[in-house]
Amino acid sequence: MAELAVNIDHVATLREARGGIEPDPVTAALIAELSGAVGIVCHLREDRRHINDRDVRLLRELVKTKLDLEMAATDEIIDIACDVLPDLVTIVPEKREELTTEGGLNVADNLEFYKSLVDKMHNRNIDVSFFIEPSEKQIEAVLQTGADIIELHTGTYANAKSPIDVQIELEKIVYAAQIGYNEGLIVTAGHGLDYVNISPIVSIKQITEISIGHSIISRAIFNGLESAVREMVELVRG
Ligand code: PXP
């Protein structure tokens, strides 16, 4: 059975639209926890377009389940992670001009650097997850870094239009989840998942956690956050 981690970035996006103090992503995190989320995810971007340094520090103080700091592997953010000590970091690629994370990280491309990053985090008892495409090459690279977790990018699956394309993308995720699990990695998944497309993903038994933000916060606008999280928790648990 999979569990749900809730990404609260988009609450901060709404706050930043007016540059004020509401809605507060920290309040959202606490409601998500009370509603059944097993983890809270936030992405501290270089440009601080949504989550800011104050949010991360307060979340570290208040989140009781598990704080997952999504981050690009830049010196500045690595230093913040080492100082704030989240339970885990998820390493993602980041481009200033993108609306959201556009795909998985190319771990194979910079193996030595990522190995030393994993060591640095492990020395501080921080688990490391790499957000990757569902590809054997990337899983093999992650294994060489000594990381704990792979988060499989589900965005291409979520965006696929025709049933055949959906099936092709799903099969890549099924295959990657199997390889990762067999190699002893914790396998999670996320990006673009919603109340409609989630069910084939949660039926992949090797995937133990799903990270979802946008669709939950979107539904929360109409139904309230507690109800939006509870409904997704039920779907994720299958
Ligand atoms: N996982 C990662 C690595 C992400 O970058 C994001 C988006 O911030 C998500 C999961 C959640 O994606 P979505 O907001 O589409 O649910």
Side-chain angles (χ1 to χ4, degrees):
M1 185 180 78
E3 294 284 359
L4 175 69
V6 174
N7 179 313
I8 42 127
D9 292 351
H10 291 297
V11 180
T13 302
L14 192 53
R15 175 190 62 191
E16 294 308 307
R18 284 289 169 95
I21 60 166
E22 65 180 8
D24 193 322
V26 179
T27 308
L30 303 183
I31 292 171
E33 278 192 326
L34 289 173
S35 310
V38 301
I40 299 298
V41 189
C42 69
H43 184 172
L44 184 66
R45 282 181 168 267
E46 182 201 19
D47 62 10
R48 309 297 198 272
R49 70 172 69 158
H50 38 54
I51 294 293
N52 61 35
D53 302 57
R54 165 266 186 202
D55 299 333
V56 176
R57 286 178 200 285
L58 267 182
L59 287 166
R60 175 60 301 176
E61 262 185 59
L62 296 172
V63 165
K64 293 199 192 80
T65 52
K66 181 174 61 180
L67 179 63
D68 176 359
L69 179 65
E70 234 182 85
M71 53 177 274
T74 62
D75 289 345
E76 184 208 7
I77 308 288
I78 291 170
D79 286 348
I80 291 172
C82 290
D83 187 36
V84 171
L85 304 177
D87 298 287
L88 76 138
V89 289
T90 297
I91 311 300
V92 299
E94 188 176 300
K95 286 193 224 123
R96 216 165 235 271
E97 64 277 13
E98 69 193 354
L99 286 177
T100 180
T101 312
E102 283 172 353
L105 189 71
N106 190 347
V107 182
D109 214 26
N110 209 348
L111 205 48
E112 289 309 313
F113 171 72
Y114 290 124
K115 265 188 204 167
S116 69
L117 176 63
V118 170
D119 283 346
K120 195 167 191 173
M121 294 298 159
H122 280 174
N123 285 338
R124 288 162 180 80
N125 286 323
I126 301 170
D127 288 342
V128 182
S129 172
F130 283 104
F131 181 58
I132 56 168
E133 292 302 316
S135 102
E136 206 164 344
K137 177 180 166 200
Q138 294 303 330
I139 295 171
E140 275 163 15
V142 170
L143 280 167
Q144 290 184 57
T145 67
D148 314 275
I149 305 162
I150 46 171
E151 179 179 341
L152 299 174
H153 176 227
T154 50
T156 314
Y157 156 79
N159 289 332
K161 294 278 179 273
S162 70
I164 192 103
D165 286 345
V166 171
Q167 195 53 34
I168 289 168
E169 295 307 323
L170 190 59
E171 278 166 19
K172 287 184 198 164
I173 297 166
V174 170
Y175 183 59
Q178 252 162 16
I179 298 174
Y181 177 83
N182 290 345
E183 295 288 355
L185 293 164
I186 294 170
V187 183
T188 70
H191 212 280
L193 297 174
D194 62 27
Y195 295 82
V196 176
N197 65 21
I198 186 73
S199 90
I201 298 295
V202 298
S203 66
I204 304 170
K205 64 180 188 309
Q206 293 88 353
I207 295 179
T208 53
E209 194 173 295
I210 313 276
S211 169
I212 305 182
H214 190 263
S215 64
I216 292 176
I217 304 307
S218 302
R219 185 161 292 205
I221 288 173
F222 302 113
N223 285 8
L225 185 56
E226 178 181 343
S227 153
V229 173
R230 284 195 194 284
E231 215 181 312
M232 189 59 92
V233 164
E234 271 184 36
L235 291 174
V236 165
R237 288 182 178 166

